[in-house]
Amino acid sequence: MYYTDKKLQWNVRVDKPNPLFARMLQQAIGGVEGEIRVCMQYFFQAWGSRGPAKYRDMLLNTATEEIAHIEFLSVAVAMNLEKAPVSIQEEIAADPIAGAVLNGMDMRHILSTGLSAYPGNSNGVPFNMSHIYASGNLAADMYCNVAAEATGRTLAARLYNATDDPGMKEMLAFNIARDTMHQEQWVAVLEELGPSHLPIPNSFPQSKENPDFNYSFLITTTDGKPGDQANQPWTSGQAPDGKGEFNVKIAEPLGYVPDLGFGRPDTFGQKEQSNGTAAGMVNHVKDVAQKLKNSF
């Protein structure tokens, strides 16, 4: 259950309204690096959380905070649109603010929202939840969260650099600080879990892996030489989980040349693709099965 407070988490102010910057802020709301993404990611991770309750509680607290970020960013978008024009006329084109319509202002802010924010990115594409990662695996989700906050902080830093408005810089400085904290807290969970959390999921027995390849870096260059990959932290020495030693192998094909043979007549490829008989298909399947058998 959630409760609301009328006050914003941050005191948003815009000294110089800028419709173009309003469009840029949309990326921080509905972009793949934005606040809707992390908000929904943390909520779904929390709602499906199993194990120690403290991780669920941490996720819920942070997800709820992200709602506050969506709110004050939306207010910032609206405030940046305060002096935006709502029609395109020749006499307004020369005005720095009014000319924003002709110079890249988001038309949806005029046509769809009445000079307000919307749940989409800076190109007007709605956020569709395709970047929500909630695997049910604590360690895997923590790595996803670190990446989400890292890309979010990168976006916020770029936005900070893109504006000269003091109020917007103050707001973004707060956002950047919170992204710092969130990165650190997810990393703290991974450190608490220790090296034994690798490889993920650590509940799958490594005895069932192919031991010839689980710590091998594969060289795929045409000359088959390690080059600058030799003696790197990921090609030699102990792996981070302490369970194996890195090594280098030359990548080589271990399978067979695939041959799907002729198609079935009822799939309606060209007649040149089909031998036209079910018996022919049966014989081909037997040939493929024999090839597979011989390859093991």
Side-chain angles (χ1 to χ4, degrees), residues 23-191:
R23 178 175 182 173
M24 296 175 72
L25 285 175
Q26 283 291 157
Q27 193 70 15
I29 296 174
V32 295
E33 316 93 334
E35 303 292 346
I36 295 178
R37 183 262 179 95
V38 289
C39 178
M40 290 295 99
Q41 182 158 304
Y42 303 158
F43 269 135
F44 277 94
Q45 287 177 5
W47 293 331
S49 178
R50 296 176 184 273
K54 64 180 182 178
Y55 299 123
R56 179 179 184 274
D57 292 345
M58 179 177 66
L59 286 161
L60 283 174
N61 275 280
T62 306
T64 305
E65 181 190 354
E66 302 295 3
I67 298 176
H69 294 184
I70 298 168
E71 180 184 26
F72 71 63
L73 283 168
S74 296
V75 171
V77 167
M79 292 175 71
N80 271 287
L81 292 169
E82 188 174 334
K83 296 182 180 180
V86 293
S87 64
I88 301 176
Q89 300 173 8
E90 290 184 9
E91 61 266 31
I92 70 171
D95 182 86
I97 295 294
V101 172
L102 301 180
N103 295 321
M105 178 182 168
D106 190 340
M107 293 297 101
R108 287 197 63 191
H109 283 150
I110 297 173
L111 302 175
S112 300
T113 67
L115 304 182
S116 301
Y118 57 86
N121 69 15
S122 58
N123 286 329
V125 179
F127 187 76
N128 64 8
M129 301 291 182
S130 63
H131 289 270
I132 301 301
Y133 302 113
S135 69
N137 181 293
L138 177 63
D141 286 348
M142 290 300 111
Y143 279 110
C144 290
N145 294 351
V146 171
E149 292 290 346
T151 53
R153 191 174 189 274
T154 300
L155 171 63
R158 289 169 177 163
L159 287 168
Y160 183 96
N161 192 56
T163 182
D164 59 359
D165 185 284
M168 288 293 89
K169 281 189 176 293
E170 288 178 4
M171 179 192 75
L172 290 164
F174 175 78
N175 248 32
I176 292 168
R178 297 310 299 153
D179 288 342
T180 296
M181 173 56 196
H182 295 161
Q183 285 183 48
E184 299 289 341
Q185 71 186 55
W186 308 136
V187 171
V189 173
L190 291 167
E191 290 181 347

